[in-house]
Amino acid sequence: MAAYDKADLERRMNGALESLKHDLQGLRTGRASTTLLDPVTVEVYGAHMPITQVATVAAPEPRLLSVTVWDKSNVGPVEKAIRSAGLGLNPITDGQTLRLPIPDLTEERRKELAKLASQYAEKARIAVRNVRRDGNDSLKTDEKKGVYSEDERKRHETEVQKLTDSTIADIDAAAAAKEKEILGK
């Protein structure tokens, strides 16, 4: 049985791309989006929980998010979590609802966010390259065990490289689109 599994490599590379897309969704672009609060975790009931498990997040207006906390005792922790999440949002508490006006992005903040987007993309590229290395290592191991001939190994390595190139191109495209959105160009 061969250790090389193209489907597994593909799945892992696509996982890196999906992870990047999720990270990029959390970057603020000046418009209210419910995904903006996805990375926020709230400390309630002695555990850290995603905000979506203790409240309903909605975007009633293009520049406003509303967070309706289900349990009144959690309003304080939710507000604290949003303030300390580094998103630049200041919640206005109104009973069990928190209103989050989305401020305009300064040019400096836009550049910071664009830089962060490219850092996320680089992390994803590194993850894809690590998957490529794992695939090539297992091919070399298989060749030593006699599972593949040298020609077969080289053919599979070419497949792995094509897969890597295509995934990295998708990563670059996703990052470029997000940077363009952030910088408003």
Side-chain angles (χ1 to χ4, degrees):
M1 179 65 197
Y4 168 72
D5 180 358
K6 185 179 177 194
D8 181 55
L9 296 177
E10 214 167 318
R11 183 188 54 74
R12 288 170 55 198
M13 286 185 185
N14 284 333
L17 179 61
E18 290 309 309
S19 175
L20 169 70
K21 286 179 178 174
H22 185 267
D23 288 345
L24 292 178
Q25 278 181 336
L27 292 181
R28 190 158 65 83
T29 58
R31 276 196 313 274
S33 164
T34 55
T35 57
L36 188 61
L37 297 178
D38 281 356
V40 178
T41 57
V42 185
E43 193 172 336
V44 287
Y45 312 120
H48 287 277
M49 301 171 100
I51 197 165
T52 52
Q53 290 185 5
V54 293
T56 305
V57 180
E61 296 171 30
R63 311 217 23 103
L64 180 76
L65 280 176
S66 93
V67 179
T68 307
V69 183
W70 303 326
D71 183 347
K72 202 174 202 136
S73 66
N74 293 336
V75 173
V78 168
E79 181 179 358
K80 182 181 170 205
I82 292 170
R83 282 188 197 279
S84 62
L87 297 170
L89 299 174
N90 289 315
I92 301 162
T93 308
D94 181 14
Q96 280 183 243
T97 303
L98 300 173
R99 285 177 301 157
L100 306 167
I102 308 290
D104 279 329
L105 292 173
T106 62
E107 190 58 34
E108 189 179 315
R109 182 71 176 140
R110 285 181 193 276
K111 285 180 180 159
E112 279 175 28
L113 290 172
K115 204 175 188 177
L116 194 56
S118 64
Q119 287 172 357
Y120 286 161
E122 186 54 30
K123 249 180 25 189
R125 283 188 212 97
I126 289 168
V128 167
R129 288 186 201 115
N130 288 340
V131 173
R132 174 186 63 191
R133 188 195 60 227
D134 291 349
N136 286 342
D137 288 351
S138 65
L139 281 169
K140 286 176 184 143
T141 305
D142 287 349
E143 182 190 5
K144 283 181 184 146
K145 288 181 186 170
V147 177
Y148 294 124
S149 68
E150 185 180 349
D151 289 345
E152 285 176 309
R153 175 184 57 83
K154 286 183 177 172
R155 189 172 46 78
H156 286 305
E157 281 179 351
T158 305
E159 282 177 7
V160 171
Q161 188 57 48
K162 281 181 184 164
L163 185 60
T164 303
D165 292 343
S166 113
T167 309
I168 286 183
D170 292 345
I171 287 170
D172 292 344
K178 188 64 176 188
E179 284 179 35
K180 188 176 173 187
E181 185 184 342
I182 289 170
L183 297 171
K185 292 178 181 166

